[in-house]
Structure formats: C-alpha cells, structure tokens
Amino acid sequence: MDTTSAHDIARVLIEALPYIQRFAGTTVVIKYGGNAMENEELKNSFARDVVMMKQVGINPVIVHGGGPQIGSLLERLGKESKFIQGMRVTDRETMDVVQMVLGGLVNKDIVNLIQHNGGQAIGLTGKDGRLIKARKMLLNAQDENNPALKTSEIIDIGHVGEVQGIDTRVIDLFAGSDFIPVIAPIGVDDDGVSYNINADLVAGKVAEVLRAEKLILLTNVAGLKDKQGKVLTGLSADRVNELIKDGTIHGGMLPKIACALEAVENGVHTSHIIDGRVSHAVLLEILTDKGIGTLISKD
C-alpha cells in the first residue's frame, strides 16, 4: 500500500470516529428496497454496511419491501397486477403470494445476505408476536369528472392495510444481542386477517415507537431536489412543509417525504432519504461529514 492510499484510509476512519462515538448505542431504522435490493454488488455493500453498524455499537433495524418480486411471481402464476392510487389491489390469492414472497423468499434472502457478510440476522414478519397490528386501508376517490361534487367513493382494495400499532417486545428481545432484526411489512388485525402494508409506512412507525436516532429510506433517486435539480439537505420540518406547498415536492416523492416528516414530528431525531444506487450509501450518510442524501429534522 502506498503512502497516499494509507493517508486516505486514515482520513476516512478519523472522519467516521466522532459519528461512531455519537451514535453508538442508538437505533437506526432502515427501509431497504429499490435498486439496492436487486443489484448484487449493492446488496452486498448494504449488508456490509449494517454489519459494520452493528459491530461499532449502532443497532440497525431493517424493514424491507419487495414489490417487483411480488409482481414477478404473480406474472409467472398468470395473475395480473392491478394498482389503484399506487396501491396493489390484493385479493386473498394475491395476499398468499405477498406472504410467500415478503415473509419467505425476500426476508430470508436478506437474512442470508447479512450472515454471508459476517453478521447475524433474524427474519420477522409483523405477524410474529403480533409485531404489527393492522387495519384495512380504504381509499377515498373523488369523482374526477365532477370535482365540485363533495361526495366521494370509498374503494376497498382488499388485503392492503395501514399500521394501527407496533408492539416492540419482539424487537426488544434482540436489542442487546448480536442479531439484526429484518422485518417484512405484513400486519395482522384483531381477527387474525393478514394485510400487506407499505414498507415506508412500517419503517416510519417502527422508528417512532423505538424512539430511533434515525430513519433511513433507501430510494432510487439522489434525494429531495429543488426546482433547479440540486439535492437539498439539512431541512427543517417547517421548510419541508413550505416545499410541499410551493410544489417543489410533488408526485411520487410526496408519500416518502410525508413518512419522513411524520417520523421526526413524533420523536425520531432525523430522517434521511438517500440514493440506494450508491455503493455503501448507508455508511456514507451516517458516518461522513457531507452525507449523500436529504436529511430532515424537526427544527
């Protein structure tokens, strides 16, 4: 190793040290999905990131998605995927596939990935220990042909749910251990009915009840951008609301921003929206001065 390379490595380690000291003993909830979950190199860099976090005393909790994998299996089974307002219409047969893919294939692949990269992980769904209490989500659709009409249609999209509550006792069992919890976003209601829930929403609620230091949402974009295309960071909740009002935040980014914003307004110290297409994105955001995405805090 030449002197320049050695100095570069030393600089990186020294830069990371105060962040390691600051965040040791805290909980970081990570929503894992998108390209980071489909590209082999990115999958392994993510796994090494969370193993490194655990090794230096930070407690990562992973909530994962799996929409493309669900769609792929449904297609192979000859079943068409239907979406309303971005939500997958989920009948009983589709829910069976969701549970097979999220609770089985994807969840166990992530557990295996972490363990292959030197860590220890435990796979859970929201049904384990009634971790995620769910209720049916009903969509409200205004008549688009007559916007002045005040009445609206209630749309039932099947086994799609929203979080009613989180029981953290199962996660707490692993807090002082070497195990990293990996959670599939499947909830259950009081009657034992299963629901597919948006992984961003689950990650946000888990972060809130755990009083997490950080909520990290991995995406397929560089972060929140202004109207000139520059990535914004260091945003307060008030500033985010201003950006929503003036139209800077719009479209598909709105639900993700709303999730991040709600988390910081309910006790999470900071929320981060980062580019999962960047190798080692999680460590770069947490343990470097500049970070790589959008950071949102309450003040």
Side-chain angles (χ1 to χ4, degrees):
M1 181 182 297
D2 60 46
T3 303
T4 302
S5 297
H7 285 167
D8 287 342
I9 292 170
R11 179 185 55 78
V12 169
L13 293 173
I14 290 168
E15 183 177 331
L17 179 59
Y19 295 102
I20 292 171
Q21 292 172 324
R22 177 180 173 185
F23 299 133
T26 66
T27 296
V28 175
V29 177
I30 306 166
K31 186 274 178 152
Y32 177 50
N35 281 28
M37 206 168 152
E38 298 170 23
N39 175 284
E40 285 301 317
E41 180 183 346
L42 294 175
K43 285 165 64 174
N44 282 290
S45 80
F46 171 79
R48 287 192 289 271
D49 283 2
V50 296
V51 171
M52 173 72 170
M53 290 168 66
K54 191 71 174 178
Q55 191 67 38
V56 299
I58 302 169
N59 297 312
V61 175
I62 300 165
V63 178
H64 65 82
Q69 293 88 338
I70 294 168
S72 177
L73 181 53
L74 286 171
E75 184 178 357
R76 294 205 302 273
L77 295 173
K79 191 170 181 64
E80 182 184 1
S81 292
K82 297 180 180 178
F83 294 86
I84 296 176
Q85 296 181 21
M87 299 291 182
R88 185 186 300 275
V89 178
T90 308
D91 58 18
R92 184 173 297 178
E93 185 180 28
T94 301
M95 189 63 214
D96 288 343
V97 171
V98 167
Q99 293 192 86
M100 288 168 57
V101 173
L102 292 186
L105 179 64
V106 173
N107 188 271
K108 302 314 172 192
D109 278 353
I110 297 168
V111 167
N112 186 55
L113 186 69
I114 291 169
Q115 295 180 162
H116 179 70
N117 282 277
Q120 294 292 326
I122 189 80
L124 303 165
T125 76
K127 298 174 74 172
D128 293 310
R130 301 184 76 86
L131 170 60
I132 304 172
K133 185 178 180 181
R135 57 175 170 246
K136 179 187 281 288
M137 175 182 284
L138 296 173
L139 300 182
N140 198 342
Q142 293 287 342
D143 187 345
E144 295 179 0
N145 297 318
N146 187 1
L149 193 64
K150 298 299 182 184
T151 59
S152 61
E153 179 187 0
I154 301 299
I155 304 175
D156 184 343
I157 52 175
H159 291 259
V160 177
E162 53 189 0
V163 177
Q164 187 171 0
I166 303 285
D167 186 337
T168 63
R169 287 178 296 175
V170 176
I171 302 175
D172 291 341
L173 290 174
F174 305 106
S177 75
D178 294 330
F179 286 94
I180 298 167
V182 179
I183 303 169
I186 299 168
V188 62
D189 70 11
D190 289 332
D191 297 320
V193 178
S194 299
Y195 292 94
N196 182 20
I197 308 176
N198 177 276
D200 287 341
L201 298 179
V202 171
K205 292 300 181 185
V206 169
E208 288 176 27
V209 299
L210 291 177
R211 310 296 288 183
E213 174 71 24
K214 296 178 179 294
L215 166 66
I216 296 178
L217 304 176
L218 286 169
T219 68
N220 289 340
V221 296
L224 175 61
K225 297 180 180 180
D226 64 17
K227 292 180 178 179
Q228 287 71 48
K230 181 182 177 182
V231 175
L232 298 168
T233 190
L235 300 176
S236 68
D238 287 343
R239 180 59 180 145
V240 171
N241 282 317
E242 289 173 6
L243 293 169
I244 293 172
K245 289 177 183 177
D246 72 14
T248 300
I249 303 173
H250 62 278
M253 185 58 78
L254 269 172
K256 208 168 283 287
I257 289 292
C259 171
L261 194 57
E262 185 174 353
V264 299
E265 289 176 339
N266 287 287
V268 177
H269 191 253
T270 55
S271 290
H272 305 249
I273 296 173
I274 67 173
D275 193 344
R277 300 169 300 177
V278 176
S279 185
H280 298 293
V282 175
L283 287 187
L284 288 171
E285 179 66 10
I286 295 177
L287 301 182
T288 64
D289 292 337
K290 292 184 179 179
I292 60 163
T294 298
L295 177 151
I296 299 170
S297 60
K298 186 173 183 180
D299 301 317

